[in-house]
């Protein structure tokens, strides 16, 4: 298998799953299954109430943890919001931002995702910025335009924030909405060409960052299709929903790189 110089990243997105008691075994088993590897990072983005538990169980393991959103405010009268600084208190290394389920359910926009990214970065949290077109947009021949627009909302943040994005290694997660929670994932060739396109857009502004940025894929990634998707040269890892709810399956996805890239 050919691998790029970029360190790989596999992220579990638990969405609204997990229970306090059941998580104990799950997190211990995952900790046991995933060993540190110089070429791969692993992370688990879980609901806010379980961040403390993740911190307790996963500290000093191969697995980092993170949240699934960040407020666009620092603090104040914003009932139900959770700030980036609060997430830092629980050792979060990552946060998902702009996930399509947030865009669909609470009408988050590119602009609000960009604001959230800025707050995450200022708290030293690595944003995983989720972008991707809907089925209608793909059928209408618009996927590149949509993705470019989503991407530029973040690339066009001011110079100071952009510098922070590089410093904290902003991650892009390409998640075509039609492939999330679907029967099948996107085709590896489709994903590869979109990831190349994403890198090209970034390269127009910053060739060095385009070469370094990790672009991961999400959308029905599982243990059966991981090898074909993750072996594509511009796919630097995965964002895994359903298949991350099973320790064995998630570990198998994670092991793809650990086996392919000698330690
Ligand atoms: P899925 O979810 O793997 O269940 O398709 C991925 C995601 O929404 O991040």
């Amino acid at each position: 298998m050919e691998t790029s110089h970029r360190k790989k990243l596999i992220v579990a997105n638990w969405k609204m799953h997990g229970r306090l008691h059941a998580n104990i075994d799950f997190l211990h088993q995952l900790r046991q299954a995933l060993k540190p590897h110089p070429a791969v990072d692993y992370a688990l983005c879980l609901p806010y109430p379980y961040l403390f538990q993740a911190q307790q169980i996963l500290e000093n393991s191969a697995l980092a943890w993170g949240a699934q959103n960040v407020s666009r405010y620092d603090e104040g009268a914003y009932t139900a919001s959770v700030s980036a600084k609060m997430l830092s208190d629980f050792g979060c290394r990552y946060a998902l931002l702009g996930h399509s389920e947030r865009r669909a359910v609470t009408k988050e926009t590119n602009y609000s995702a960009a604001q959230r990214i800025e707050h995450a970065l200022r708290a030293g949290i690595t944003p995983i910025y989720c972008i991707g077109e809907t089925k209608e947009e793909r059928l209408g021949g618009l996927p590149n335009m949509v993705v470019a627009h989503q991407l530029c909302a973040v690339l066009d943040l001011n110079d100071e924030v952009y510098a922070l994005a590089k410093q904290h290694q902003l991650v892009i997660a390409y998640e075509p909405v039609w492939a999330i929670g679907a029967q099948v994932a996107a085709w590896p060739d489709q994903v590869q060409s979109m990831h190349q396109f994403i890198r090209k857009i970034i390269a127009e502004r910053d060739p060095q960052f385009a070469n370094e940025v990790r672009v991961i894929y999400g959308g029905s990634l599982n243990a059966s299709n991981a090898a074909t998707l993750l072996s594509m040269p511009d796919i630097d890892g995965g964002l895994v929903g359903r298949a991350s709810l099973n320790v064995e399956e998630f570990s198998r996805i994670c092991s793809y790189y650990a086996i392919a890239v000698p330690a």
Side-chain angles (χ1 to χ4, degrees):
M1 182 197 90
E2 268 202 40
T3 53
S4 69
H5 56 284
R6 293 177 289 273
K7 196 169 183 188
K8 309 304 176 193
L9 174 65
I10 308 280
V11 184
N13 175 11
W14 270 14
K15 309 194 179 188
M16 199 171 72
H17 293 285
R19 293 300 301 275
L20 192 67
H21 189 69
N23 296 349
I24 299 172
D25 275 355
F26 191 105
L27 295 174
H28 279 291
Q29 284 172 25
L30 204 54
R31 183 188 170 112
Q32 188 63 28
L34 299 182
K35 299 294 171 220
H37 192 287
V40 200
D41 288 328
Y42 309 112
L44 172 57
C45 290
L46 65 179
Y48 297 133
Y50 303 133
L51 290 173
F52 182 64
Q53 190 181 31
Q55 185 179 32
Q56 298 290 300
I57 299 177
L58 301 177
E59 192 93 68
N60 298 319
S61 74
L63 202 63
W65 57 94
Q68 299 172 5
N69 207 353
V70 171
S71 171
R72 50 191 174 132
Y73 305 105
D74 225 18
E75 69 174 355
Y78 302 107
T79 302
S81 298
V82 175
S83 75
K85 285 181 190 155
M86 293 172 184
L87 298 176
S88 291
D89 287 342
F90 294 94
C92 287
R93 184 165 331 148
Y94 297 96
L96 303 178
L97 280 313
H99 191 281
S100 62
E101 286 155 12
R102 302 301 308 168
R103 293 177 190 264
V105 175
T106 59
K107 304 281 175 273
E108 282 183 22
T109 60
N110 294 333
Y111 176 66
S112 96
Q115 287 180 310
R116 291 162 204 274
I117 286 175
E118 177 169 347
H119 279 274
L121 289 168
R122 289 194 190 284
I125 292 173
T126 294
I128 300 173
Y129 180 41
C130 305
I131 57 178
E133 79 286 359
T134 62
K135 186 175 169 195
E136 293 69 34
E137 288 161 347
R138 177 157 285 263
L139 292 175
L142 301 172
N144 288 19
M145 203 189 87
V146 169
V147 164
H149 192 63
Q150 292 170 330
L151 197 55
C152 290
V154 169
L155 297 179
D156 293 343
L157 284 165
N158 68 48
D159 289 353
E160 186 207 345
V161 183
Y162 184 71
L164 283 173
K166 287 173 75 168
Q167 183 190 335
H168 295 297
Q169 302 176 330
L170 169 85
V171 175
I172 306 293
Y174 171 57
E175 296 205 302
V177 180
W178 47 271
I180 295 176
Q183 295 291 328
V184 286
W187 293 108
D189 288 348
Q190 281 175 318
V191 182
Q192 167 62 19
S193 78
M194 185 57 90
H195 283 212
Q196 270 177 330
F197 174 71
I198 290 168
R199 249 181 251 290
K200 185 170 147 268
I201 301 274
I202 300 173
E204 282 163 10
R205 292 166 167 76
D206 186 341
Q208 189 206 347
F209 189 49
N211 191 34
E212 286 167 5
V213 65
R214 292 189 286 188
V215 185
I216 63 175
Y217 167 75
S220 301
L221 187 63
N222 58 38
S224 312
N225 61 26
T228 48
L229 282 156
L230 299 181
S231 61
M232 302 307 278
D234 282 289
I235 301 182
D236 303 314
L239 180 54
V240 188
R242 276 161 304 166
S244 72
L245 299 174
N246 178 295
V247 176
E248 210 207 307
E249 176 149 28
F250 184 62
S251 309
R252 279 173 58 206
I253 298 171
C254 290
S255 71
Y256 172 71
Y257 288 126
I259 293 168
V261 188

